[in-house]
Amino acid sequence: MNTEHYTHLVQYYETDQMKIVHHSNYIRWFEEARGWMLERAGFGYDKMEEIGVIIPVLEVGCQYKSMVRYQDEVCIIPKLVKFNGIKMTVQYEIKDAKTGELRATGMSAHCFLDREYKPMSLKRSHPELYKMFQGLLEEK
């Protein structure tokens, strides 16, 4: 299994009466893993917002493969698959931490905005961020 992943232990409040994770939590886990990926790359959301870069979600999707239950530990593997300096797309795999069984896959699409909520090109406005995202895109 990929060693570059974010690990999450399922909490009781994330489940329904059957102790199965509610579908909305997978989207939250995508965000957690995306934040982890950016921190690991050296420039998390807090640092981006300090310099005036905002990254809203344009689209998100999830395909559920098998159930995740209370106290299961999952690995969420985020991967930057598209980036042009103005928009990006991240794909995700959620796997059981013990068995490696695929539990869900998904994606999220984002754009980069300035403090006035206007689209920005990272290549022009923040070349250091552009370089970081290029590095993430090129990771195997």
Side-chain angles (χ1 to χ4, degrees):
M1 186 182 327
N2 185 331
T3 58
E4 295 297 324
H5 61 266
Y6 173 80
T7 303
H8 180 84
L9 179 64
V10 176
Q11 302 300 306
Y12 186 77
Y13 71 87
E14 296 175 303
T15 64
D16 59 20
Q17 189 175 15
M18 299 177 290
K19 296 187 180 145
I20 296 169
V21 171
H22 188 270
H23 66 275
S24 64
N25 288 295
Y26 292 77
I27 306 306
R28 290 181 180 95
W29 298 349
F30 292 168
E31 183 174 7
E32 289 176 20
R34 189 171 60 252
W36 170 86
M37 176 183 73
L38 295 174
E39 286 289 336
R40 184 179 62 87
F43 223 93
Y45 281 119
D46 56 341
K47 289 181 183 176
M48 283 191 226
E49 290 177 1
E50 284 175 16
I51 63 169
V53 177
I54 302 166
I55 309 175
V57 174
L58 299 173
E59 179 183 355
V60 67
C62 186
Q63 297 80 44
Y64 306 97
K65 306 294 185 182
S66 61
M67 291 181 264
V68 179
R69 298 179 186 276
Y70 173 55
Q71 290 198 324
D72 283 353
E73 188 173 36
V74 293
C75 299
I76 302 116
I77 304 159
K79 182 174 181 178
L80 185 65
V81 294
K82 290 183 185 175
F83 171 74
N84 65 8
I86 299 167
K87 292 183 180 180
M88 72 173 181
T89 302
V90 181
Q91 288 182 344
Y92 310 88
E93 287 187 339
I94 298 177
K95 295 182 177 185
D96 184 279
K98 290 180 184 160
T99 68
E101 181 182 353
L102 185 63
R103 302 296 188 178
T105 60
M107 61 75 64
S108 60
H110 309 263
C111 67
F112 299 95
L113 303 178
D114 64 19
R115 285 188 174 107
E116 285 77 44
Y117 305 105
K118 293 184 179 160
M120 66 167 32
S121 166
L122 290 184
K123 191 171 189 176
R124 284 196 305 265
S125 62
H126 299 286
E128 72 284 3
L129 274 181
Y130 183 84
K131 185 177 178 180
M132 180 198 78
F133 279 105
Q134 278 298 124
L136 286 172
L137 186 62
E138 294 165 5
E139 280 186 6
K140 298 290 179 207

